[in-house]
Amino acid sequence: MTLSEVREIEGEFSLTFYCGELPADAAIAAAGHEPNGYFWEGVAEFIGGDLVKQMELDSEGGMFCAVGEQADLTAMQSLLEPLLTNGNAVLDVIARAEAASFIFDD
Protein backbone atom coordinates (compact mmCIF):
# COMPACT_ATOMS: atom_id res chain seq x y z
CA MET A 1 0.00 0.00 0.00
CA THR A 2 1.39 3.39 -0.95
CA LEU A 3 0.66 6.50 1.06
CA SER A 4 1.77 8.91 -1.65
CA GLU A 5 0.37 9.42 -5.10
CA VAL A 6 1.63 10.81 -8.39
CA ARG A 7 -1.32 12.14 -10.34
CA GLU A 8 -2.09 14.27 -13.35
CA ILE A 9 -4.57 17.12 -13.05
CA GLU A 10 -5.21 19.30 -16.09
CA GLY A 11 -1.90 18.37 -17.70
CA GLU A 12 0.19 19.02 -14.58
CA PHE A 13 1.75 16.22 -12.51
CA SER A 14 2.04 16.31 -8.74
CA LEU A 15 3.27 14.06 -5.96
CA THR A 16 1.16 14.35 -2.83
CA PHE A 17 0.53 12.73 0.51
CA TYR A 18 -1.32 13.80 3.61
CA CYS A 19 0.57 14.43 6.83
CA GLY A 20 -0.44 14.06 10.43
CA GLU A 21 -1.45 10.41 10.50
CA LEU A 22 1.54 8.72 8.91
CA PRO A 23 3.16 5.71 10.60
CA ALA A 24 6.46 7.64 10.94
CA ASP A 25 4.85 10.65 12.68
CA ALA A 26 5.57 9.50 16.25
CA ALA A 27 9.29 9.17 15.52
CA ILE A 28 9.36 12.59 13.86
CA ALA A 29 7.64 14.21 16.84
CA ALA A 30 9.96 12.38 19.27
CA ALA A 31 12.91 13.90 17.39
CA GLY A 32 11.48 17.38 18.03
CA HIS A 33 9.97 18.05 14.62
CA GLU A 34 6.44 18.66 13.39
CA PRO A 35 5.34 15.85 11.07
CA ASN A 36 3.86 18.24 8.50
CA GLY A 37 4.28 19.04 4.83
CA TYR A 38 7.06 21.51 5.49
CA PHE A 39 9.08 18.90 7.39
CA TRP A 40 8.69 16.51 4.45
CA GLU A 41 9.81 19.25 2.05
CA GLY A 42 13.01 19.39 4.09
CA VAL A 43 13.41 15.63 3.84
CA ALA A 44 12.89 15.85 0.07
CA GLU A 45 15.47 18.64 -0.19
CA PHE A 46 17.99 16.76 1.91
CA ILE A 47 17.70 13.35 0.26
CA GLY A 48 16.62 14.48 -3.22
CA GLY A 49 19.82 16.17 -4.33
CA ASP A 50 19.56 17.49 -7.89
CA LEU A 51 16.23 15.73 -8.35
CA VAL A 52 14.41 18.14 -6.04
CA LYS A 53 15.71 21.05 -8.11
CA GLN A 54 13.64 19.74 -11.03
CA MET A 55 10.34 20.29 -9.20
CA GLU A 56 8.40 22.93 -7.35
CA LEU A 57 7.63 22.18 -3.71
CA ASP A 58 4.25 23.54 -2.67
CA SER A 59 3.36 21.90 0.65
CA GLU A 60 1.04 22.94 3.43
CA GLY A 61 0.86 21.93 7.05
CA GLY A 62 -1.33 18.91 6.38
CA MET A 63 0.00 17.86 2.99
CA PHE A 64 3.24 17.39 1.08
CA CYS A 65 3.07 18.47 -2.55
CA ALA A 66 5.66 18.58 -5.31
CA VAL A 67 4.88 19.57 -8.90
CA GLY A 68 6.99 18.65 -11.89
CA GLU A 69 7.66 16.08 -14.57
CA GLN A 70 6.09 12.68 -14.00
CA ALA A 71 9.42 10.80 -14.13
CA ASP A 72 11.03 13.13 -11.58
CA LEU A 73 8.05 12.88 -9.25
CA THR A 74 8.01 9.09 -9.51
CA ALA A 75 11.71 9.04 -8.64
CA MET A 76 11.07 11.30 -5.63
CA GLN A 77 8.16 9.10 -4.59
CA SER A 78 10.51 6.09 -4.55
CA LEU A 79 12.79 7.99 -2.15
CA LEU A 80 10.08 9.27 0.19
CA GLU A 81 7.57 6.42 0.27
CA PRO A 82 9.73 4.03 2.35
CA LEU A 83 10.23 6.77 4.96
CA LEU A 84 6.52 7.42 5.45
CA THR A 85 6.10 4.10 7.23
CA ASN A 86 9.51 3.67 8.84
CA GLY A 87 10.22 5.88 11.83
CA ASN A 88 13.74 4.52 12.25
CA ALA A 89 14.60 5.37 8.65
CA VAL A 90 13.30 8.93 9.15
CA LEU A 91 15.34 9.25 12.35
CA ASP A 92 18.41 8.23 10.34
CA VAL A 93 17.67 10.96 7.77
CA ILE A 94 17.17 13.51 10.56
CA ALA A 95 20.48 12.51 12.18
CA ARG A 96 22.36 12.75 8.88
CA ALA A 97 20.74 16.11 8.10
CA GLU A 98 21.59 17.54 11.51
CA ALA A 99 25.18 16.29 11.18
CA ALA A 100 25.34 18.18 7.87
CA SER A 101 23.91 21.33 9.57
CA PHE A 102 20.72 21.08 7.52
CA ILE A 103 17.81 22.92 9.12
CA PHE A 104 14.26 21.65 8.68
CA ASP A 105 11.66 24.39 8.27
CA ASP A 106 8.81 22.69 10.07
Side-chain angles (χ1 to χ4, degrees), residues 10-77:
E10 298 179 9
E12 186 172 77
F13 287 94
S14 63
L15 167 63
T16 60
F17 57 86
Y18 292 101
C19 306
E21 296 183 15
L22 296 169
D25 284 355
I28 295 165
H33 294 280
E34 291 290 326
N36 59 30
Y38 306 114
F39 169 81
W40 286 104
E41 277 191 9
V43 172
E45 290 170 358
F46 183 73
I47 68 172
D50 289 335
L51 180 62
V52 78
K53 295 175 185 175
Q54 304 302 315
M55 57 193 68
E56 177 185 341
L57 300 176
D58 188 25
S59 299
E60 299 175 2
M63 180 182 75
F64 172 87
C65 180
V67 178
E69 298 295 322
Q70 184 178 18
D72 294 335
L73 296 170
T74 300
M76 179 60 73
Q77 181 183 32

